[in-house]
Amino acid sequence: MSVNAETEAVDPQSAAPGEDIDAPPPGQTFGSYLLRKVGGALISLLMVVLLGFFAFRILPGDPVQKIARERQMSPEQMELLRAEYGLDKPLIGQFWDYLVGIFTGNLGTSYVYRQPVSELILEYAWPTLLLTGSAAILAIGLGLWMGQLAAWKRGSLFDRLTTSTSLVFWSVPTFWLALLLLMIFAGRLQWLPTGGMVSPGIEPGSLTYVLDIAQHLFLPVITMTAVVYAQYLMVMRASLLGEMSADYLTTARAKGLREDDVRLKHAVPNALLPTVTLVFMHIGGLITGAVTVETVFSWPGLGKLTYEAISGPDLPLLQGTFVVFSAAIIIMNLLADLVYRQLDPRVRRA
């Protein structure tokens, strides 16, 4: 990766004899940097664990009363059910059980599904990863490619068209765009399925099964990609515009390099650095953002599972999905800091 030579220049005469001019300053070794970042991530995770318990205790509604209405239970049966769920204990006792469950991997039993929350999260995780992973690949690739072209052709028709279109999609509410695509392509045109992940009666593992999943996946992925790729485009465009006046590009042109080589081999690698944090953070954020899309398209993932838990309220399931979503963002942010430090020597010397 090419890095602006001016930012890396160090005067050898200013270094002490025997001193490694490329070595980071005292206290800024990778070990201390890693410990500081991991410590911050652990503190954030601790705050998430605390918030995951108390935030959902203020939600209106009693899960036991809702279950009693659906099953016509007597007051005695309601008390037994409350004792089974541990809701008859004082708040501090419930909190202690919650903490023990978090650290032992036991997230409790879902009130609605009557299954362990850990098993439900594992079961519903891979459809969400399939959806958000596909959307992330498309959004990152499309946004970075169009962003660097728009910056290099600043002021052109392509630049104005791509930036204005992306900003429109970025400002559109996700649920509104999802419903619009659903009405057009699944309702009026009837080209694609209205929801779900796979049609009933199809043998798993067959080619027809894979193609059917791809059909169900198309509209949710397009929706998530449309509302996300604009952020990559705008950041990439702004970053590349800042690099275009750099001296090292003038030097590259003076050596006789073609404009495409100057852009792809020198300008773009440097402009990519600011997008690293954005990419990692949005990978974690896409998982949490799947709630709206999965609900509209009835996609059987963690987002739809969370929506159903809210309508319960299914407290153990809400707490489990909240911790998973929050942990994904924190971990991606930690990885972004570590990767950015390795890519940019200026961060290592800071």
Side-chain angles (χ1 to χ4, degrees), residues 120-201:
L120 283 171
I121 290 177
L122 290 176
E123 178 184 348
Y124 282 80
W126 86 264
T128 294
L129 293 176
L130 175 63
L131 172 60
T132 57
S134 303
I137 292 173
L138 285 177
I140 294 171
L142 184 64
L144 297 184
W145 175 71
M146 295 181 68
Q148 55 98 9
L149 286 181
W152 209 252
K153 301 177 180 179
R154 181 182 182 181
S156 66
L157 177 62
F158 177 82
D159 180 27
R160 294 194 298 269
L161 184 62
T162 53
T163 53
S164 59
T165 303
S166 63
L167 287 176
V168 168
F169 283 124
W170 193 2
S171 61
V172 168
T174 305
F175 75 90
W176 184 87
L177 180 60
L179 290 173
L180 181 64
L181 294 177
L182 193 62
M183 287 188 296
I184 295 175
F185 293 99
R188 181 173 295 275
L189 298 177
Q190 296 184 353
W191 288 353
L192 296 167
T194 56
M197 182 175 174
V198 64
S199 302

Side-chain angles (χ1 to χ4, degrees), residues 70-307:
E70 295 173 351
R71 302 180 185 177
Q72 298 298 320
M73 300 173 65
S74 65
E76 292 77 13
Q77 290 174 319
M78 291 176 58
E79 290 302 319
L80 289 175
L81 188 61
R82 199 178 299 276
E84 179 184 349
Y85 290 154
L87 297 176
D88 60 334
K89 297 181 179 180
L91 189 62
I92 188 64
Q94 297 180 40
F95 180 61
W96 175 254
D97 292 340
Y98 167 74
L99 285 180
V100 172
I102 287 289
F103 288 103
T104 59
N106 179 15
L107 300 178
T109 301
S110 169
Y111 299 161
V112 176
Y113 291 90
R114 309 288 294 180
Q115 292 180 246
V117 172
S118 301
E119 294 181 3
L120 283 171
I121 290 177
L122 290 176
E123 178 184 348
Y124 282 80
W126 86 264
T128 294
L129 293 176
L130 175 63
L131 172 60
T132 57
S134 303
I137 292 173
L138 285 177
I140 294 171
L142 184 64
L144 297 184
W145 175 71
M146 295 181 68
Q148 55 98 9
L149 286 181
W152 209 252
K153 301 177 180 179
R154 181 182 182 181
S156 66
L157 177 62
F158 177 82
D159 180 27
R160 294 194 298 269
L161 184 62
T162 53
T163 53
S164 59
T165 303
S166 63
L167 287 176
V168 168
F169 283 124
W170 193 2
S171 61
V172 168
T174 305
F175 75 90
W176 184 87
L177 180 60
L179 290 173
L180 181 64
L181 294 177
L182 193 62
M183 287 188 296
I184 295 175
F185 293 99
R188 181 173 295 275
L189 298 177
Q190 296 184 353
W191 288 353
L192 296 167
T194 56
M197 182 175 174
V198 64
S199 302
I202 298 181
E203 181 182 357
S206 62
L207 179 60
T208 305
Y209 181 81
V210 175
L211 294 177
D212 189 68
I213 291 180
Q215 283 186 321
H216 285 81
L217 188 65
F218 185 80
L219 286 181
V221 167
I222 291 300
T223 302
M224 295 189 71
T225 301
V227 298
V228 170
Y229 89 97
Q231 300 176 56
Y232 298 110
L233 186 150
M234 300 305 294
V235 171
M236 184 64 188
R237 180 180 181 275
S239 179
L240 187 56
L241 286 176
E243 295 289 334
M244 287 175 62
S245 58
D247 292 339
Y248 69 94
L249 296 185
T250 304
T251 303
R253 292 188 181 96
K255 292 180 178 180
L257 293 180
R258 296 183 299 113
E259 279 297 302
D260 287 343
D261 291 333
V262 172
R263 171 169 55 90
L264 295 176
K265 295 181 180 180
H266 295 275
V268 170
N270 283 275
L272 278 173
L273 292 175
T275 66
V276 172
T277 302
L278 182 66
V279 167
F280 277 91
M281 291 191 66
H282 272 284
I283 290 176
L286 274 175
I287 298 177
T288 62
V291 175
T292 302
V293 174
E294 289 185 2
T295 302
V296 172
F297 292 102
S298 300
W299 186 263
L302 292 177
K304 187 172 182 293
L305 191 67
T306 302
Y307 175 79

